[in-house]
Amino acid sequence: LTLARIASAVADATAPTDGDSARTVLENLLADKRERLGPSAALYVESKLALLGLTLLQRSAPNVDGPKHLAFTKELLRKNEKILTEQAVGGAGGTGDAAASDGAVVHSAHYECAMVYRKAVCPPEAYYREAIQYLHYTPLDALPAEEQLALATDLSMAALTGDGVYNFGEVVQHPILQCLVGTPNAWLVELMEASAAGDVAAFKAVSTKHAAEVAAQPALTGRAQMVQEKITLLAMVHMIFERPSSERPSSERTLRFVDIAQRIEMAEDQVELVIMRALSLGLIRGSMDQVDGTVEVTWVMPRVLDAAQLSDLAGRFGEWAVKVSQTKDYMSEQAFAA
């Protein structure tokens, strides 16, 4: 892998002035020393070669056949994803810190290539998945400041506009989002935090305050209806999580349509449609009672929690532990009395 990384560094240094020569460095390494490299290092070089082609394609390099390279990259990513999965299942790659570090480097190269490819071909939800994986294997301080800013911006846009992306906590709780603070895109931090909290009022306030910036983002304006629906659904999901179980079983939450309408800032006669949408997307499980105007929820989608939510959850576990202890004591007393 050391040889592969050296060759990649040489290619990266050469690429800005001579893209063809940069590609030749990696192509020759694969052609002449593939067996010496081994599967993981060869996968690393292949990923870097495909990434280099995508980078040159973005620069409109004359010697890169766009459709052909995109098709090549798609097939390469499919093949390498399968290899990485098999290695993970089989425990290939050795053991110990060095092996784990090498594995992270290989995965990082693969997901960086996949991320850039998905940015080129869409959809945003696919880009989001690859970018999250890339960040999982890549130390943030290993990226130049301009790359951190671009990645934070693109990831936020993908989270907001990606179909089926509802776990905003993955981004909000990651240090990458703070790279936007103090930049012209700092408004995205506010928008993401409001979205992650399911705070409709805050989302509307940020959108109004930064209307010009929002309007300048085609990704947001082009999917404005989807973004609005997503925030509405997240508001209801958070409402369910926050609701105490009171005297009902701890596995159930019952909400009134009128309360939901107030939280999501919509008319009460629209609430039923919102609930049906949440059920169909698998965000919640439960049943509605249209006559009583209530919904009983038995399950809410798993998601990343912030510090306040974790503290609240810890408090609920504490209450549950007390109730269990009280029940145990009561049962013991009854058994003794009998």
Side-chain angles (χ1 to χ4, degrees):
L1 186 59
T2 300
L3 177 60
R5 297 180 70 174
I6 292 173
S8 176
V10 171
D12 288 343
T14 308
T17 57
D18 192 346
D20 288 342
S21 295
R23 293 171 63 186
T24 299
V25 170
L26 299 179
E27 289 170 345
N28 288 345
L29 181 62
L30 286 171
D32 300 337
K33 301 187 181 296
R34 180 179 285 272
E35 290 187 6
R36 177 183 171 185
L37 289 172
S40 294
L43 189 153
Y44 174 88
V45 177
E46 288 176 342
S47 298
K48 289 295 186 179
L49 179 59
L51 177 62
L52 177 57
L54 292 171
T55 303
L56 295 175
L57 190 59
Q58 290 175 342
R59 299 175 186 169
S60 300
N63 295 332
V64 179
D65 185 330
K68 182 178 180 180
H69 185 72
L70 289 175
F72 161 79
T73 303
K74 179 181 179 179
E75 180 59 26
L76 177 71
L77 291 171
R78 185 198 64 79
K79 174 180 72 72
N80 286 348
E81 182 72 32
K82 183 178 180 180
I83 292 173
L84 290 174
T85 301
E86 291 173 349
Q87 289 181 346
V89 172
T95 59
D97 293 341
S101 177
D102 287 349
V105 169
V106 174
H107 279 77
S108 175
H110 170 76
Y111 285 114
E112 182 180 15
C113 180
M115 176 182 69
V116 175
Y117 169 77
R118 286 302 179 184
K119 183 177 179 179
V121 303
C122 293
E125 57 270 18
Y127 170 85
Y128 176 85
R129 289 192 294 269
E130 305 295 3
I132 287 293
Q133 289 295 321
Y134 174 62
L135 284 173
H136 179 71
Y137 291 105
T138 309
L140 193 58
D141 56 11
L143 303 177
E146 60 272 17
E147 288 187 23
Q148 293 182 21
L149 175 59
L151 180 54
T153 301
D154 291 340
L155 188 58
S156 297
M157 290 295 180
L160 289 165
T161 63
D163 188 15
V165 179
Y166 293 96
N167 200 347
F168 284 32
E170 290 181 307
V171 181
V172 173
Q173 297 302 313
H174 196 284
I176 186 68
L177 191 64
Q178 297 309 308
C179 297
L180 297 173
V181 176
T183 74
N185 290 339
W187 59 276
L188 270 173
V189 178
E190 300 177 56
L191 202 64
M192 286 294 295
E193 289 177 343
S195 301
D199 192 332
V200 175
F203 182 87
K204 289 181 177 178
V206 175
S207 299
T208 301
K209 179 181 177 181
H210 299 283
E213 290 89 340
V214 172
Q217 296 292 337
L220 290 178
T221 56
R223 296 196 171 197
Q225 185 175 352
M226 174 188 287
V227 174
Q228 183 59 54
E229 178 190 76
K230 186 178 292 189
I231 303 310
T232 300
L233 291 169
L234 285 172
M236 188 178 70
V237 166
H238 278 270
M239 181 182 181
I240 295 167
F241 177 79
E242 295 162 3
R243 191 174 182 83
S245 58
S246 299
E247 299 304 317
R248 299 192 62 81
S250 60
S251 60
E252 297 178 356
R253 299 290 184 273
T254 301
L255 288 78
R256 299 186 304 159
F257 284 11
V258 63
D259 295 330
I260 296 174
Q262 183 177 4
R263 176 63 179 264
I264 66 178
E265 299 189 6
M266 293 181 69
E268 188 176 341
D269 60 4
Q270 297 296 309
V271 170
E272 185 176 335
L273 294 175
V274 174
I275 295 172
M276 291 175 64
R277 182 63 172 160
L279 288 167
S280 68
L281 290 171
L283 301 181
I284 63 173
R285 296 173 190 162
S287 58
M288 281 192 298
D289 186 331
Q290 290 93 332
V291 177
D292 290 342
T294 61
V295 57
E296 190 171 275
V297 181
T298 57
W299 180 89
V300 183
M301 68 168 187
R303 61 212 174 281
V304 176
L305 305 179
D306 60 26
Q309 291 171 326
L310 286 171
S311 177
D312 178 66
L313 189 61
R316 295 189 191 187
F317 275 124
E319 293 173 2
W320 173 79
V322 170
K323 290 181 179 179
V324 170
S325 178
Q326 291 173 343
T327 301
K328 174 189 172 185
D329 292 343
Y330 173 78
M331 295 298 291
S332 296
E333 292 173 1
Q334 293 299 310
F336 181 76

